[in-house]
Amino acid sequence: MRWGVAAIVVALALALGGSDGGRGSGGPPASGAAALVPADVLVYVHLSTDPGRPATRRAAAMAARFPSWPRLRDSVVRQLAAPDCRTAADALKGANEAALALFYIGKGTTANSLVLVDAGGEHADGSQRGCGALSVAYVGHFLAIGQPESLSVAQDLQRGRGTSLAAAAGPRRVFARLPADRAADGWVSADGVRRLLAPQGGLLGVAGVLLNQPGLTGAGFALSATRDGARIVVRSLRDPAQARKAGAGFRPFSPTLQDAAPAGAMSYLGVSNLAPALRRLLAAAGSGSKQLAPLVQGIDTDLLRLFAGEAAIILTPATPAPVLTLLARTQDEAATRRALARLPVALRRAFRTAVFDGKVAVSTSAAGIRAVQAGGPHLSGTDQWSKSVGNHPQSVSSLLFLDFSRLLQLGEQTGLGDSSAYQAAKSDLEKVRSIGADTSGNDSESTAEISLLITP
């Protein structure tokens, strides 16, 4: 795949606050680029680059909090200003929007790329010409950059030939429901999730695993800057028949167990069905599951039956290894004690258990049991919980909290600090204090809201 050109999308963000004027407002961002992208696009990322919009200015201020931002911005500007071709860099100076799309053409197995930059007005000359290793052409009021065949696709859509992403029913409905104060948005098709994102390492791979749910047809997303950090909203569309055929997953519930989790918890995941949560947790961890798997490998089917209702996975700090505790509601304490007594001897020896106050707890350490039995303080009363996930809906299908700073410290203690990739990103990652997320939905559509608490 021609991933080199994908780096250009980072440079597009430099236009956030990059021009002197501005025709913006507090409403949704300009979205004309989607009309020049095919409906079957694999990945589409769109940025509002109009400094007249308050949302764009907030995003620029948020980006400036990260130490690597000036270096990254300047590096990609140099790439855009290729020898004998400053067209792209010049166009960004007055752009209102910019986008990157990756898509297949015909039966090709290599994804083509297309960068679109708002050029401010219609251009009569739509002829293609070379621009460094790529080609450029004006398509309507956009400057299009990419392979010649990518430009031809955009030109055909501009002439009304074919179906664009903007005209496709599913994406159009999703974009209409995304937050108006977004500074960036986009779309990922099911093929894009499974063929491009999921196989990748790092954060892209994690995103692919988390998005890849049964019956997925595509997902739209939006990024907004907030006073304390950033908010990401993901709306996924699903084929109801395939989703129902896939069987049990996360079910809606009203979360309460966060009120029993200790304030010092490094992570908390509340769900309505524990088994699929553990499977997705290990899949999302990727190579990191080598450290996580030993904590959950002893949890067999008999034990998981106790956690079919509201349940929580809680990770608390300890030396030499963190403590994993499973907590669930139970309506029959006596029956739950009998079920625990019937567990295999090896399993009962491997875990500590307790049934109390309408709850059942299973932990890798007695300290985990004591932590959830203590009277407080509790996780739901902390400032980080309140700012990261405190405004969750009354009914959710999952609820997540990560004390990101402490998890990074744990990662460094277990070898993460030896990674050159981590060292390169460390100063940026350390700006993220915590992450909160909640999901909700049904067989045909789901919504995830993710909040990042970022230090000033």
Side-chain angles (χ1 to χ4, degrees):
M1 179 182 301
R2 295 156 174 152
W3 275 106
V5 78
I8 294 177
V9 78
V10 180
L12 300 180
L14 67 92
L16 295 170
S19 64
D20 296 328
R23 296 160 287 181
S25 68
S31 57
L36 303 180
V37 172
D40 60 354
V41 65
L42 298 170
V43 178
Y44 171 74
V45 181
H46 171 260
L47 296 166
S48 170
T49 57
D50 177 2
R53 294 185 67 234
T56 306
R57 295 196 299 271
R58 288 194 298 270
M62 180 187 68
R65 296 186 190 183
F66 292 91
S68 70
W69 171 243
R71 183 175 67 255
L72 179 62
R73 176 196 59 203
D74 295 344
S75 172
V76 186
V77 168
R78 288 193 295 270
Q79 294 182 45
L80 282 175
D84 303 322
C85 187
R86 291 192 52 88
T87 309
D90 291 341
L92 278 170
K93 294 178 181 178
N96 257 16
E97 59 176 308
L100 166 71
L102 300 174
F103 51 89
Y104 292 123
I105 295 179
K107 297 182 178 180
T109 57
T110 300
N112 279 60
S113 58
L114 176 67
V115 173
L116 296 165
V117 181
D118 170 33
E122 297 285 336
H123 289 258
D125 182 9
S127 59
Q128 296 187 20
R129 60 187 184 280
C131 182
L134 301 172
S135 296
V136 299
Y138 286 103
V139 184
H141 63 87
F142 283 91
L143 175 68
I145 311 163
Q147 295 79 31
E149 55 268 33
S150 300
L151 305 189
S152 296
V153 168
Q155 290 170 329
D156 285 344
L157 289 170
Q158 199 262 342
R159 295 170 184 139
R161 302 171 188 165
T163 303
S164 70
L165 184 67
R172 188 173 68 247
R173 184 170 77 251
V174 168
F175 282 125
R177 297 178 63 188
L178 292 176
D181 67 349
R182 62 191 185 268
D185 54 29
W187 175 263
V188 185
S189 69
D191 269 353
V193 168
R194 292 162 188 154
R195 298 175 67 175
L196 298 188
L197 295 185
Q200 303 297 314
L203 292 177
L204 285 178
V206 171
V209 169
L210 296 179
L211 284 171
N212 191 10
Q213 51 188 308
L216 178 73
T217 59
F221 58 88
L223 169 67
S224 305
T226 65
R227 183 180 62 181
D228 297 313
R231 179 170 67 118
I232 301 169
V233 175
V234 181
R235 292 191 177 274
S236 301
L237 300 181
R238 306 171 68 189
D239 181 309
Q242 291 186 33
R244 286 190 292 268
K245 184 179 179 181
F250 297 163
R251 296 183 291 268
F253 70 102
S254 296
T256 61
L257 291 173
Q258 67 274 14
D259 295 331
M266 295 189 297
S267 68
Y268 175 96
L269 175 61
V271 294
S272 60
N273 190 0
L274 188 61
L278 288 173
R279 288 195 296 268
R280 297 189 76 178
L281 185 64
L282 288 174
S287 59
S289 64
K290 294 179 181 178
Q291 288 76 38
L292 187 60
L295 294 175
V296 299
Q297 63 185 359
I299 305 175
D300 67 2
T301 303
D302 291 334
L303 186 55
L304 288 174
R305 288 195 184 100
L306 299 174
F307 298 88
E310 182 190 359
I313 305 172
I314 304 168
L315 197 66
T316 49
T319 302
V323 175
L324 180 73
T325 302
L326 309 181
L327 186 65
R329 292 285 179 189
T330 177
Q331 296 181 351
D332 190 333
E333 292 190 11
T336 300
R337 289 189 179 95
R338 291 193 295 269
L340 288 172
R342 290 194 299 267
L343 292 174
V345 174
L347 196 60
R348 283 186 277 133
R349 288 176 178 171
F351 294 93
R352 301 294 183 268
T353 64
V355 180
F356 61 98
D357 299 335
K359 298 184 284 290
V360 53
V362 177
S363 181
T364 56
S365 168
I369 298 296
R370 290 194 297 270
V372 295
Q373 287 182 317
H378 295 127
L379 181 62
S380 58
T382 64
D383 182 62
Q384 287 198 74
W385 173 276
S386 177
K387 291 182 177 179
S388 299
V389 73
N391 291 325
H392 63 79
Q394 183 175 359
S395 177
V396 300
S397 53
S398 68
L399 190 64
L400 173 71
F401 169 81
L402 302 174
D403 187 332
F404 199 71
S405 299
R406 299 177 73 182
L407 289 171
L408 278 184
Q409 294 173 8
L410 174 64
E412 290 187 347
Q413 295 169 9
T414 56
L416 182 63
D418 297 332
S419 166
S420 57
Y422 169 71
Q423 289 297 331
K426 181 179 178 179
S427 60
D428 287 331
L429 293 174
E430 288 176 338
K431 300 296 289 185
V432 182
R433 287 181 57 199
S434 60
I435 299 174
D438 61 74
T439 63
S440 58
N442 50 45
D443 288 339
S444 61
E445 185 172 344
S446 64
T447 300
E449 294 206 16
I450 306 161
S451 295
L452 284 74
L453 186 60
I454 300 172
T455 58

